PDB file of all heavy atoms in Angstrom:
ATOM      1  N   GLN C  87     125.671 118.537  98.160  1.00  0.00           N
ATOM      2  CA  GLN C  87     124.290 118.592  97.667  1.00  0.00           C
ATOM      3  C   GLN C  87     124.261 118.693  96.141  1.00  0.00           C
ATOM      4  O   GLN C  87     123.410 118.077  95.499  1.00  0.00           O
ATOM      5  CB  GLN C  87     123.539 119.773  98.293  1.00  0.00           C
ATOM      6  CG  GLN C  87     123.229 119.595  99.752  1.00  0.00           C
ATOM      7  CD  GLN C  87     122.317 118.410 100.007  1.00  0.00           C
ATOM      8  OE1 GLN C  87     121.402 118.127  99.248  1.00  0.00           O
ATOM      9  NE2 GLN C  87     122.569 117.689 101.085  1.00  0.00           N
ATOM     10  N   GLU C  88     125.176 119.459  95.581  1.00  0.00           N
ATOM     11  CA  GLU C  88     125.234 119.611  94.127  1.00  0.00           C
ATOM     12  C   GLU C  88     125.529 118.266  93.449  1.00  0.00           C
ATOM     13  O   GLU C  88     124.866 117.890  92.483  1.00  0.00           O
ATOM     14  CB  GLU C  88     126.322 120.632  93.786  1.00  0.00           C
ATOM     15  CG  GLU C  88     126.450 120.949  92.326  1.00  0.00           C
ATOM     16  CD  GLU C  88     127.557 121.969  92.083  1.00  0.00           C
ATOM     17  OE1 GLU C  88     127.678 122.930  92.866  1.00  0.00           O
ATOM     18  OE2 GLU C  88     128.291 121.784  91.095  1.00  0.00           O
ATOM     19  N   ASP C  89     126.519 117.538  93.964  1.00  0.00           N
ATOM     20  CA  ASP C  89     126.855 116.231  93.396  1.00  0.00           C
ATOM     21  C   ASP C  89     125.733 115.226  93.610  1.00  0.00           C
ATOM     22  O   ASP C  89     125.469 114.392  92.741  1.00  0.00           O
ATOM     23  CB  ASP C  89     128.156 115.700  93.993  1.00  0.00           C
ATOM     24  CG  ASP C  89     129.386 116.426  93.476  1.00  0.00           C
ATOM     25  OD1 ASP C  89     129.240 117.266  92.558  1.00  0.00           O
ATOM     26  OD2 ASP C  89     130.494 116.158  93.980  1.00  0.00           O
ATOM     27  N   LEU C  90     125.073 115.296  94.741  1.00  0.00           N
ATOM     28  CA  LEU C  90     123.946 114.408  95.012  1.00  0.00           C
ATOM     29  C   LEU C  90     122.818 114.659  94.011  1.00  0.00           C
ATOM     30  O   LEU C  90     122.217 113.715  93.504  1.00  0.00           O
ATOM     31  CB  LEU C  90     123.458 114.594  96.450  1.00  0.00           C
ATOM     32  CG  LEU C  90     122.378 113.652  96.943  1.00  0.00           C
ATOM     33  CD1 LEU C  90     122.813 112.201  96.834  1.00  0.00           C
ATOM     34  CD2 LEU C  90     122.024 113.986  98.388  1.00  0.00           C
ATOM     35  N   GLU C  91     122.554 115.914  93.703  1.00  0.00           N
ATOM     36  CA  GLU C  91     121.528 116.242  92.703  1.00  0.00           C
ATOM     37  C   GLU C  91     121.925 115.753  91.319  1.00  0.00           C
ATOM     38  O   GLU C  91     121.077 115.300  90.547  1.00  0.00           O
ATOM     39  CB  GLU C  91     121.255 117.749  92.682  1.00  0.00           C
ATOM     40  CG  GLU C  91     120.494 118.247  93.891  1.00  0.00           C
ATOM     41  CD  GLU C  91     119.147 117.567  94.066  1.00  0.00           C
ATOM     42  OE1 GLU C  91     118.423 117.368  93.065  1.00  0.00           O
ATOM     43  OE2 GLU C  91     118.808 117.222  95.209  1.00  0.00           O
ATOM     44  N   LYS C  92     123.202 115.814  90.994  1.00  0.00           N
ATOM     45  CA  LYS C  92     123.681 115.299  89.700  1.00  0.00           C
ATOM     46  C   LYS C  92     123.468 113.788  89.617  1.00  0.00           C
ATOM     47  O   LYS C  92     123.071 113.268  88.576  1.00  0.00           O
ATOM     48  CB  LYS C  92     125.147 115.639  89.493  1.00  0.00           C
ATOM     49  CG  LYS C  92     125.404 117.091  89.185  1.00  0.00           C
ATOM     50  CD  LYS C  92     126.883 117.357  89.015  1.00  0.00           C
ATOM     51  CE  LYS C  92     127.153 118.829  88.784  1.00  0.00           C
ATOM     52  NZ  LYS C  92     128.592 119.121  88.694  1.00  0.00           N
ATOM     53  N   ILE C  93     123.751 113.094  90.705  1.00  0.00           N
ATOM     54  CA  ILE C  93     123.552 111.638  90.734  1.00  0.00           C
ATOM     55  C   ILE C  93     122.065 111.312  90.594  1.00  0.00           C
ATOM     56  O   ILE C  93     121.695 110.402  89.847  1.00  0.00           O
ATOM     57  CB  ILE C  93     124.143 111.034  92.025  1.00  0.00           C
ATOM     58  CG1 ILE C  93     125.673 111.091  91.972  1.00  0.00           C
ATOM     59  CG2 ILE C  93     123.663 109.598  92.235  1.00  0.00           C
ATOM     60  CD1 ILE C  93     126.364 110.705  93.265  1.00  0.00           C
ATOM     61  N   ARG C  94     121.223 112.050  91.277  1.00  0.00           N
ATOM     62  CA  ARG C  94     119.776 111.829  91.155  1.00  0.00           C
ATOM     63  C   ARG C  94     119.310 112.068  89.720  1.00  0.00           C
ATOM     64  O   ARG C  94     118.484 111.314  89.189  1.00  0.00           O
ATOM     65  CB  ARG C  94     119.018 112.747  92.101  1.00  0.00           C
ATOM     66  CG  ARG C  94     119.136 112.347  93.555  1.00  0.00           C
ATOM     67  CD  ARG C  94     118.493 113.364  94.461  1.00  0.00           C
ATOM     68  NE  ARG C  94     118.563 112.940  95.849  1.00  0.00           N
ATOM     69  CZ  ARG C  94     118.652 113.774  96.870  1.00  0.00           C
ATOM     70  NH1 ARG C  94     118.654 115.085  96.666  1.00  0.00           N
ATOM     71  NH2 ARG C  94     118.711 113.317  98.103  1.00  0.00           N
ATOM     72  N   GLY C  95     119.836 113.112  89.103  1.00  0.00           N
ATOM     73  CA  GLY C  95     119.483 113.397  87.718  1.00  0.00           C
ATOM     74  C   GLY C  95     119.948 112.305  86.770  1.00  0.00           C
ATOM     75  O   GLY C  95     119.216 111.895  85.856  1.00  0.00           O
ATOM     76  N   LYS C  96     121.151 111.808  86.982  1.00  0.00           N
ATOM     77  CA  LYS C  96     121.676 110.726  86.140  1.00  0.00           C
ATOM     78  C   LYS C  96     120.864 109.456  86.349  1.00  0.00           C
ATOM     79  O   LYS C  96     120.582 108.721  85.400  1.00  0.00           O
ATOM     80  CB  LYS C  96     123.151 110.489  86.461  1.00  0.00           C
ATOM     81  CG  LYS C  96     123.803 109.391  85.647  1.00  0.00           C
ATOM     82  CD  LYS C  96     123.716 109.632  84.153  1.00  0.00           C
ATOM     83  CE  LYS C  96     124.767 110.576  83.679  1.00  0.00           C
ATOM     84  NZ  LYS C  96     124.841 110.633  82.189  1.00  0.00           N
ATOM     85  N   PHE C  97     120.448 109.188  87.589  1.00  0.00           N
ATOM     86  CA  PHE C  97     119.616 108.026  87.866  1.00  0.00           C
ATOM     87  C   PHE C  97     118.296 108.126  87.099  1.00  0.00           C
ATOM     88  O   PHE C  97     117.846 107.149  86.492  1.00  0.00           O
ATOM     89  CB  PHE C  97     119.359 107.893  89.374  1.00  0.00           C
ATOM     90  CG  PHE C  97     118.417 106.784  89.728  1.00  0.00           C
ATOM     91  CD1 PHE C  97     118.798 105.465  89.638  1.00  0.00           C
ATOM     92  CD2 PHE C  97     117.125 107.069  90.159  1.00  0.00           C
ATOM     93  CE1 PHE C  97     117.920 104.437  89.970  1.00  0.00           C
ATOM     94  CE2 PHE C  97     116.244 106.068  90.494  1.00  0.00           C
ATOM     95  CZ  PHE C  97     116.644 104.738  90.399  1.00  0.00           C
ATOM     96  N   LYS C  98     117.699 109.305  87.099  1.00  0.00           N
ATOM     97  CA  LYS C  98     116.451 109.501  86.353  1.00  0.00           C
ATOM     98  C   LYS C  98     116.673 109.300  84.863  1.00  0.00           C
ATOM     99  O   LYS C  98     115.830 108.711  84.172  1.00  0.00           O
ATOM    100  CB  LYS C  98     115.885 110.891  86.622  1.00  0.00           C
ATOM    101  CG  LYS C  98     115.336 111.051  88.024  1.00  0.00           C
ATOM    102  CD  LYS C  98     114.857 112.470  88.266  1.00  0.00           C
ATOM    103  CE  LYS C  98     114.390 112.652  89.705  1.00  0.00           C
ATOM    104  NZ  LYS C  98     113.992 114.025  89.985  1.00  0.00           N
ATOM    105  N   GLN C  99     117.811 109.771  84.377  1.00  0.00           N
ATOM    106  CA  GLN C  99     118.135 109.581  82.959  1.00  0.00           C
ATOM    107  C   GLN C  99     118.291 108.094  82.636  1.00  0.00           C
ATOM    108  O   GLN C  99     117.777 107.610  81.627  1.00  0.00           O
ATOM    109  CB  GLN C  99     119.411 110.327  82.607  1.00  0.00           C
ATOM    110  CG  GLN C  99     119.839 110.145  81.162  1.00  0.00           C
ATOM    111  CD  GLN C  99     121.230 110.679  80.891  1.00  0.00           C
ATOM    112  OE1 GLN C  99     121.997 110.960  81.801  1.00  0.00           O
ATOM    113  NE2 GLN C  99     121.554 110.803  79.618  1.00  0.00           N
ATOM    114  N   VAL C 100     118.995 107.372  83.486  1.00  0.00           N
ATOM    115  CA  VAL C 100     119.190 105.928  83.277  1.00  0.00           C
ATOM    116  C   VAL C 100     117.844 105.212  83.296  1.00  0.00           C
ATOM    117  O   VAL C 100     117.586 104.342  82.454  1.00  0.00           O
ATOM    118  CB  VAL C 100     120.152 105.353  84.344  1.00  0.00           C
ATOM    119  CG1 VAL C 100     120.112 103.835  84.366  1.00  0.00           C
ATOM    120  CG2 VAL C 100     121.569 105.842  84.087  1.00  0.00           C
ATOM    121  N   CYS C 101     116.983 105.568  84.233  1.00  0.00           N
ATOM    122  CA  CYS C 101     115.651 104.954  84.283  1.00  0.00           C
ATOM    123  C   CYS C 101     114.877 105.237  83.006  1.00  0.00           C
ATOM    124  O   CYS C 101     114.165 104.369  82.499  1.00  0.00           O
ATOM    125  CB  CYS C 101     114.878 105.452  85.503  1.00  0.00           C
ATOM    126  SG  CYS C 101     115.477 104.769  87.051  1.00  0.00           S
ATOM    127  N   SER C 102     115.016 106.430  82.486  1.00  0.00           N
ATOM    128  CA  SER C 102     114.344 106.783  81.241  1.00  0.00           C
ATOM    129  C   SER C 102     114.873 105.948  80.081  1.00  0.00           C
ATOM    130  O   SER C 102     114.105 105.429  79.270  1.00  0.00           O
ATOM    131  CB  SER C 102     114.540 108.271  80.953  1.00  0.00           C
ATOM    132  OG  SER C 102     113.975 108.613  79.716  1.00  0.00           O
ATOM    133  N   VAL C 103     116.189 105.805  79.999  1.00  0.00           N
ATOM    134  CA  VAL C 103     116.809 105.004  78.933  1.00  0.00           C
ATOM    135  C   VAL C 103     116.378 103.547  79.041  1.00  0.00           C
ATOM    136  O   VAL C 103     116.135 102.888  78.024  1.00  0.00           O
ATOM    137  CB  VAL C 103     118.350 105.133  78.987  1.00  0.00           C
ATOM    138  CG1 VAL C 103     119.029 104.126  78.090  1.00  0.00           C
ATOM    139  CG2 VAL C 103     118.782 106.543  78.623  1.00  0.00           C
ATOM    140  N   LEU C 104     116.256 103.053  80.274  1.00  0.00           N
ATOM    141  CA  LEU C 104     115.851 101.663  80.490  1.00  0.00           C
ATOM    142  C   LEU C 104     114.336 101.486  80.440  1.00  0.00           C
ATOM    143  O   LEU C 104     113.844 100.363  80.543  1.00  0.00           O
ATOM    144  CB  LEU C 104     116.370 101.164  81.844  1.00  0.00           C
ATOM    145  CG  LEU C 104     117.882 101.052  81.985  1.00  0.00           C
ATOM    146  CD1 LEU C 104     118.257 100.760  83.430  1.00  0.00           C
ATOM    147  CD2 LEU C 104     118.436  99.986  81.057  1.00  0.00           C
ATOM    148  N   ASN C 105     113.595 102.591  80.332  1.00  0.00           N
ATOM    149  CA  ASN C 105     112.134 102.583  80.312  1.00  0.00           C
ATOM    150  C   ASN C 105     111.567 101.966  81.594  1.00  0.00           C
ATOM    151  O   ASN C 105     110.717 101.083  81.575  1.00  0.00           O
ATOM    152  CB  ASN C 105     111.597 101.862  79.074  1.00  0.00           C
ATOM    153  CG  ASN C 105     110.151 102.198  78.812  1.00  0.00           C
ATOM    154  OD1 ASN C 105     109.664 103.242  79.231  1.00  0.00           O
ATOM    155  ND2 ASN C 105     109.452 101.294  78.144  1.00  0.00           N
TER     156      ASN C 105
END
Side-chain angles (χ1 to χ4, degrees):
Q87 289 298 322
E88 183 180 319
D89 287 354
L90 186 58
E91 288 302 318
K92 287 179 183 177
I93 289 172
R94 287 174 178 149
K96 180 58 81 170
F97 175 72
K98 289 177 184 177
Q99 178 190 14
V100 166
C101 287
S102 176
V103 169
L104 294 171
N105 197 24

